[in-house]
Amino acid sequence: QVQLVESGGGLVQAGGSTRLSCVASARTFSNYAMGWFRQGPGKEREFVAAISRSGRSTNYADSVKGRSTISRDNAKNTVYLQMNTLKPEDTAVYYCAATREYAYTANSTTMYAYWGQGTQVTVSS
């Protein structure tokens, strides 16, 4: 069983930046590919970014590519999502997720077995 706890986010002005963090309770964090998803008001949960077990490979949704960076620190059991040039449409609850079965190319909610409770990011125009 893996427990994930997100932090960061909050209220940010359009054009600003924020960094989300997710700490995992996994005994061997490096066994899991990690992902970030988000769910905006009235929308389905969607893929944002994912990172391989080693941290060397990443995958991004087109909507955030070039504006966001996913990274991880396996010594700290933590994955990060740095988001820049934020837009009002980035407003959502952001969720951290972990998968042991799939690689960093996993971009569907069904591929991730473990989820955090989410952290709110609100971008004001």
Side-chain angles (χ1 to χ4, degrees):
Q1 191 73 10
V2 178
Q3 293 185 327
L4 304 171
V5 179
E6 303 97 335
S7 62
L11 179 62
V12 186
Q13 285 193 329
S17 299
T18 191
R19 188 174 85 154
L20 308 181
S21 300
C22 171
V23 179
S25 67
R27 191 165 67 178
T28 311
F29 181 60
S30 58
N31 282 348
Y32 297 84
M34 301 297 296
W36 285 96
F37 287 75
R38 67 185 181 187
Q39 188 165 13
K43 298 181 180 179
E44 292 187 354
R45 194 170 298 189
E46 64 176 5
F47 171 75
V48 176
I51 190 166
S52 64
R53 291 163 177 78
S54 67
R56 287 192 290 267
S57 299
T58 57
N59 181 26
Y60 296 93
D62 288 343
S63 58
V64 303
K65 196 174 294 183
R67 301 189 294 123
S68 299
T69 302
I70 187 171
S71 60
R72 66 190 294 163
D73 185 339
N74 285 346
K76 296 182 178 180
N77 279 25
T78 303
V79 61
Y80 306 96
L81 181 67
Q82 174 72 40
M83 300 186 68
N84 303 318
T85 320
L86 284 163
K87 307 174 182 179
E89 51 263 44
D90 292 319
T91 295
V93 177
Y94 283 73
Y95 297 91
C96 173
T99 177
R100 187 163 182 164
E101 288 72 30
Y102 294 93
Y104 71 98
T105 50
N107 59 3
S108 170
T109 57
T110 59
M111 296 177 173
Y112 291 83
Y114 305 101
W115 293 85
Q117 293 299 307
T119 186
Q120 177 72 46
V121 174
T122 301
V123 183
S124 63
S125 57

